[in-house]
Each structure stands twice: as C-alpha cells, then as structure tokens.
Amino acid sequence: MGFYNLQSDSSGTSQYFVYRNNSEQIWKSGEWNEESKTFQSVPEMRLNYIFNYSYISNENESYFTYSLYNSSIISRFVIDFSGRIQQLTWSETTQRWNLFWSQPKLCDVYGICGPFGNCNQQDIYGSCECLPGFAPRSPTDWSLKDSSGGCVRSTPLQCGSEDGFSPIPTSGLPDKPLYSEIDSAEECKSACEATCSCNAYAFDYRCQLWDGDIINFNNITSSRYATTVFNLRLAATDIRSPSPVSSSLVPVSTAAVRKRKVIVWKIVVPVFFLVASVMGVIGYIYLLKRNKANKTKRERSKAVQGVSTGLLKSKATYDDTQNTNMFDDGKTNGESQELQMFGFTCLANATNNFGLTNKLGEGGFGPVYKGKLQNEQQIAVKRLSKNSGQEILSRTLRAPLWDDVLTCSHFSFSNQKKWCA
C-alpha cells in the first residue's frame, strides 16, 4: 500500500474518495448517475463500446464494478504512486498500455511535482517541470515519470545583494505561506531579502513569504490567466523572466518607464522619417510616370483628331448605293478636295470586285488593287487587313462596320466629275 488509497464513502453515499496517508482527502468521484453510468467527476466513463460500468447498492451491500464487452481485451484498473486512478487497455498493435481515463488530473494531486516543482496545467493531463533556476533532483526518476523527488537549485544562493527575484505570473500560489503585516510590494521584497531561508514572496493586498521548500505550485504559464505574481528568489546568474509578465501585476519604477519611453522614441522617430522618405520617392516616381502617360495620350488624341478633322472636311456620305455622288459637296470646279471618300460598292466595281487579276501586290497592311472609275480615272486601292491597326480611322469617322477598311489613291484630281454614279 502506498501513500494513497481509494475508499467508498462510509456515510452511505454512492461516491468514492482518494486519501493521502489515510487521512487527507485529495479527490472525490461525486455520486453515481445510473442513467449515464458515470460518477459526476468522471465524465470519461460515459457509455462506450469497451467497458460496462455498474454500481450495485442494496440493503446488504454497495460496490462499484465493471465488465468488458469483448472478453479478449486486457484491462487494468489501478491507483498509482501519484494517487491517480487509471483505467487502461492493452494494445497488441503498439505493445503498450493505452490510457482510457484518469482521475484526478495530475495537477490536482497534492505535491505531485515535489519540492520546487511546477505542475503545468496547460497540458490536457498536466506535466511536471522544475521552477526556473532549478533542475530535477533525480533525472532518472523524472525520465520514468516519477517527479515526487522534486527539484534542487542550479546555483546556490549567496544570501545577500547577489541574489535577486524572478517574477512568475500565476493563477495559483503555493501552499503554506507566511503572512506579514506589510503594506507595499517593496517592503515585502525587503522582508524576504532579510531572511536567508526565504525563497519567494508575493504581494497582492497582503505580503506572503515562503520559507523552506515550495510545494504544490501549479502555474498556468500564460499571463492572460494570471491573477498575481510569484517572485522566486534566485542567484543573480540564474535570474530570467520565464514568461511574459503583465504590467498590471509587476510594479515598474517611474525611472524605468521614462527610460523605456526614451528608447521607444529613439527607434520610432527615425523609422517614421525613413518610411516617409521612401513613400515620398515612390509617389514622385508615380506622378512622373502618370504625367508622361497622360502627355502621350494627349498627343495621340490630337493626332487622331487632326486626321479626323481633315477627313471630315470632305463632308462625304457613306451610302454604298449606285446613285450616290461621292464628290458633290457644293464646291466649285476650281476647288480641290484634301481627301476624297469613295463608297465600298464604288471601289468594288472599279477593281472588278477585288479580283486577283487586278491585284498589284501586297504590303504589311494588306493587298493593293488597280481599278478604273466610271470616268476612266485609274486608281490604286489598298484593302487593309483586320490586324493592320489602321482601323482606328474608320472608328473615328464612324464608318460602317465593314469587314475590311479601304483607302483609295487616284492619279489625277483635275476632273471633278462624278466618278461613282
């Protein structure tokens, strides 16, 4: 029999207790729930496909039992050296015991991590580790998951000004502190420094001191959940902050705050001006490129507008019927056109419907055909391809949606007759 034992409630309720040294109760199962087949504190026992749990109670007896649905499964129900009740099953595949459920949780067992040990509750099952500046007393036992021996200091204390304190934010302080009628954190710290056996202090609304071993320290390492600060005494060479400490928990001197502000400004101001300078250069380059692009667009627009204006001077119509007069714009015989416009039907008739026999050659923008107007005037017609890029003129002049765009050159403009009747 070890330090812990499991007993049924002698008062007659349907619950069990775990006692340490047969006297100190460290856990209770809660009463049995017949509907869910579980004890209140053991929800992991809920109906499953492996174990069939039962609680028998009558005028003659009361006891808890379980059986296996599959008799080939090997199971163990134990209470180990740490006071934890464990239900395990054997796996032939992995050749190891698998934990089905365990109570109480590791950090609920009193002093499970030994002197100067910390039970870290962030792990779902909890895990033992040494406080900062300490190492396992027996590394061999710790490797076997037996941490009851606790931890020892890595560097002995000098019991003087060479020692310091490492702040640890926590939600639960160790057991058995000594209380002192002190009104400030600084005075509480001085009281601990004045006693060589004082290993830690904490001050919230009162001063608490710890002499000798520190037992049952359960720390949640995240400062978000911390409610106070545990100040652990260490040799100067071992002092470090094990985890972030909330400014609301740790007193900071006015001088330290002022020094931090100076450092922050020395960093922030140069970085601000550097970023501003870089953004200014980028903005200047962007404006230059945008202005250049706008200038190019304006020049192109003026060029197209000039061509469009010249073309529109002809006031020609795009009627492709045989009866359209392409040159009758009211000018006298002595006036000449800057650019003459021809209908598609007119040019098709003049070039024999762009026949191969009339083809003179072909350039980068399309083939060129020879033709003859109704007044016997010889002309050359270039039939632009779709990919020539020169169709912008036709869109500018709101030309009909031809498959091809045509330009026409003639060799004489002296006779102002109707070339296309």
Side-chain angles (χ1 to χ4, degrees):
M1 187 172 181
F3 292 107
Y4 302 93
N5 62 294
L6 177 66
Q7 297 180 14
S8 62
D9 185 7
S10 58
S11 64
T13 65
S14 59
Q15 58 183 332
Y16 284 80
F17 301 106
V18 172
Y19 290 95
R20 188 168 74 94
N21 294 329
N22 285 320
S23 58
E24 183 181 358
Q25 177 187 310
I26 66 168
W27 179 79
K28 62 180 180 180
S29 67
E31 295 203 27
W32 175 259
N33 185 320
E34 183 62 30
E35 182 179 354
S36 63
K37 299 291 185 180
T38 63
F39 289 105
Q40 289 178 347
S41 299
V42 195
E44 299 92 336
M45 294 172 60
R46 197 171 300 278
L47 294 176
N48 61 85
Y49 62 93
I50 300 177
F51 299 100
N52 180 22
Y53 296 107
S54 301
Y55 185 82
I56 310 301
S57 179
N58 53 50
E59 60 183 9
N60 298 319
E61 58 187 357
S62 61
Y63 60 92
F64 166 74
T65 185
Y66 72 91
S67 60
L68 293 163
Y69 290 113
N70 186 347
S71 59
S72 65
I73 295 177
I74 301 174
S75 172
R76 293 171 60 208
F77 185 91
V78 300
I79 180 169
D80 66 9
F81 65 88
S82 68
R84 289 186 298 166
I85 304 168
Q86 295 180 331
Q87 179 94 64
L88 306 105
T89 58
W90 177 254
S91 171
E92 289 291 343
T93 304
T94 61
Q95 292 292 296
R96 58 181 296 177
W97 290 101
N98 294 328
L99 180 64
F100 185 72
W101 66 267
S102 174
Q103 286 289 345
K105 301 302 182 187
L106 182 69
C107 295
D108 292 336
V109 177
Y110 182 85
I112 185 63
C113 297
F116 300 103
N118 167 43
C119 194
N120 188 347
Q121 298 181 69
Q122 283 195 320
D123 189 326
I124 186 172
Y125 294 111
S127 60
C128 283
E129 56 193 26
C130 289
L131 290 172
F134 289 78
R137 183 183 300 273
S138 172
T140 302
D141 290 344
W142 275 65
S143 66
L144 297 173
K145 304 299 182 182
D146 180 3
S147 53
S148 58
C151 308
V152 293
R153 289 187 179 276
S154 301
T155 306
L157 295 177
Q158 300 298 315
C159 192
S161 59
E162 296 300 320
D163 302 332
F165 292 90
S166 178
I168 305 174
T170 182
S171 59
L173 293 169
D175 290 345
K176 302 177 181 178
L178 300 176
Y179 295 100
S180 178
E181 298 297 328
I182 294 177
D183 297 331
S184 70
E186 288 298 326
E187 291 180 4
C188 188
K189 176 182 177 182
S190 299
C192 188
E193 288 176 330
T195 305
C196 291
S197 60
C198 181
N199 287 309
Y201 79 92
F203 184 87
D204 39 23
Y205 60 92
R206 59 183 175 178
C207 180
Q208 301 179 65
L209 306 173
W210 282 267
D211 280 356
D213 291 345
I214 294 173
I215 301 293
N216 207 41
F217 185 76
N218 298 335
N219 173 42
I220 295 179
T221 57
S222 175
S223 60
R224 181 176 60 169
Y225 301 104
T227 56
T228 188
V229 174
F230 178 75
N231 297 280
L232 178 64
R233 191 172 190 173
L234 297 175
T237 55
D238 291 335
I239 292 178
R240 62 185 178 87
S241 179
S243 56
V245 180
S246 172
S247 59
S248 63
L249 299 176
V250 182
V252 181
S253 66
T254 304
V257 172
R258 192 177 296 114
K259 183 177 180 181
R260 290 178 186 175
K261 288 183 178 179
V262 172
I263 294 174
V264 169
W265 278 108
K266 285 183 178 180
I267 296 173
V268 171
V269 173
V271 170
F272 172 79
F273 281 108
L274 176 61
V275 172
S277 300
V278 172
M279 295 302 295
V281 172
I282 293 175
Y284 179 72
I285 294 173
Y286 169 76
L287 290 175
L288 283 180
K289 289 186 176 181
R290 191 180 68 175
N291 290 338
K292 184 177 180 181
N294 290 341
K295 183 178 179 181
T296 302
K297 288 181 179 180
R298 287 195 297 269
E299 290 174 351
R300 290 178 180 174
S301 178
K302 287 181 179 179
V304 172
Q305 186 177 1
V307 173
S308 302
T309 302
L311 293 176
L312 289 173
K313 284 182 179 181
S314 63
K315 298 180 181 179
T317 178
Y318 290 92
D319 189 354
D320 289 336
T321 64
Q322 292 287 341
N323 298 323
T324 302
N325 184 351
M326 299 298 297
F327 297 98
D328 190 5
D329 59 356
K331 290 183 180 296
T332 62
N333 290 338
E335 294 176 327
S336 63
Q337 302 286 350
E338 294 183 22
L339 181 64
Q340 303 299 333
M341 301 296 292
F342 297 84
F344 181 80
T345 304
C346 173
L347 296 176
N349 292 336
T351 58
N352 193 22
N353 200 24
F354 303 101
L356 291 177
T357 56
N358 288 49
K359 186 174 180 179
L360 296 175
E362 187 169 351
F365 296 115
V368 180
Y369 300 86
K370 67 180 179 178
K372 183 181 290 186
L373 299 176
Q374 292 180 5
N375 65 349
E376 301 300 323
Q377 175 68 49
Q378 291 186 346
I379 60 172
V381 180
K382 179 187 290 184
R383 189 171 189 178
L384 299 180
S385 66
K386 294 180 180 179
N387 300 324
S388 66
Q390 295 190 7
E391 67 274 9
I392 185 174
L393 295 178
S394 67
R395 292 198 300 266
T396 303
L397 296 173
R398 299 181 181 177
L401 299 178
W402 298 332
D403 287 340
D404 298 285
V405 179
L406 306 176
T407 61
C408 177
S409 300
H410 52 83
F411 304 106
S412 174
F413 294 97
S414 59
N415 190 352
Q416 295 292 326
K417 294 181 180 180
K418 295 181 178 179
W419 293 343
C420 292

